[in-house]
Amino acid sequence: MTYTLAVGTKNWSSWSLRAWLAMKASGAAFTEQFVPLRATETSAAASKASPSGLVPALTITDGGAPYAIWDSLAICETLAERHPEARLWPEAPRARAQARAISCEMHSGFVALRQQMSMDFARTIPDVVPTPETAKAITRILSIWETCRASEGGDGPYLFGHFTIADCFYAPVVSRFHTYGVATGGAAEAYASAIMSHPFMREWGRAAAQEVAEGRA
């Protein structure tokens, strides 16, 4: 069995970051296929890597013909099924249901935040005043973090104690808050700090910083 994960430019691709974090958290070996974004070759490279022409995309070869999964949530769900030992979802039914709900909320929502504060992982962009819709999204996200930490966080630093798919989905938002200087405080601030300090986030951040330094992002 082999995995190949196609990801976009790491400074910008929040969708790729989610799947990449889950892939790392699964503990499975994988090959990374890089697709440069906002470049002349983007369309051709993405179409070669993914049936949808979008990243991330996970190609699995397990004895038969290779097949692809091209949605970040579908990739995470597939990894959770194939690697139960990684505990990518919480074990308790209530916590697992909540983790899925907030992951889906992030997957399909918060459009204003995405548009005004797009991911720019390795940069600091101060003095961006949130629009009313962005401010509403920020308030909701902070509420999610604080509620999950209070009800399900236990002794661990993440939303459901140990690192899960829910954290993979909110990690790009943590990076946005860091980039744009969004104030948090309390449990939300502690959670954001734990995410930014995670070894996998640090690894991604080093790659994003290198892209910026080399003028590729």
Side-chain angles (χ1 to χ4, degrees):
M1 178 184 65
T2 62
Y3 292 123
T4 300
L5 182 67
V7 299
T9 301
K10 289 184 175 177
N11 194 52
W12 296 325
S13 187
S14 59
W15 302 87
S16 295
L17 174 55
R18 298 169 182 171
W20 186 89
L21 287 172
M23 189 78 252
K24 295 285 284 189
S26 76
F30 68 102
T31 300
E32 189 174 307
Q33 181 178 358
F34 179 69
V35 175
L37 302 182
R38 306 178 192 176
T40 55
E41 66 268 31
T42 296
S43 180
S47 295
K48 184 177 180 180
S50 169
S52 68
L54 301 170
V55 289
L58 177 64
T59 300
I60 301 174
T61 305
D62 57 4
Y67 60 97
I69 305 157
W70 56 91
D71 173 87
S72 59
L73 184 55
I75 290 169
C76 291
E77 287 280 15
T78 298
L79 292 172
E81 289 177 353
R82 295 172 71 92
H83 299 281
E85 72 284 354
R87 301 165 65 221
L88 293 177
W89 288 122
E91 291 91 343
R94 169 179 161 165
R96 188 166 61 251
Q98 289 181 336
R100 281 197 163 105
I102 65 168
S103 298
C104 289
E105 185 174 356
M106 173 51 65
H107 192 51
S108 61
F110 305 115
V111 175
L113 176 69
R114 299 178 197 278
Q115 291 176 341
Q116 187 181 14
M117 298 181 175
S118 60
M119 193 170 88
D120 208 332
F121 199 107
R123 290 188 174 93
T124 300
I125 306 173
D127 304 323
V128 174
V129 178
T131 66
E133 284 302 309
T134 298
K136 181 179 178 181
I138 291 169
T139 298
R140 172 59 184 155
I141 289 166
L142 295 178
S143 175
I144 288 171
W145 293 354
E146 291 165 358
T147 300
C148 289
R149 286 291 307 135
S151 65
E152 304 293 346
D155 295 330
Y158 305 111
L159 293 177
F160 296 88
H162 71 279
F163 192 81
T164 69
I165 288 169
D167 300 300
C168 297
F169 267 75
Y170 282 87
V173 178
V174 172
S175 81
R176 284 176 164 98
F177 285 5
H178 179 76
T179 294
Y180 295 96
V182 174
T184 52
E189 183 176 359
Y191 170 67
S193 178
I195 289 293
M196 290 302 293
S197 298
H198 194 288
F200 299 156
M201 282 287 278
R202 288 184 178 275
E203 181 179 346
W204 182 277
R206 288 191 294 270
Q210 185 174 354
E211 290 172 346
V212 172
E214 294 175 355
R216 295 184 286 118

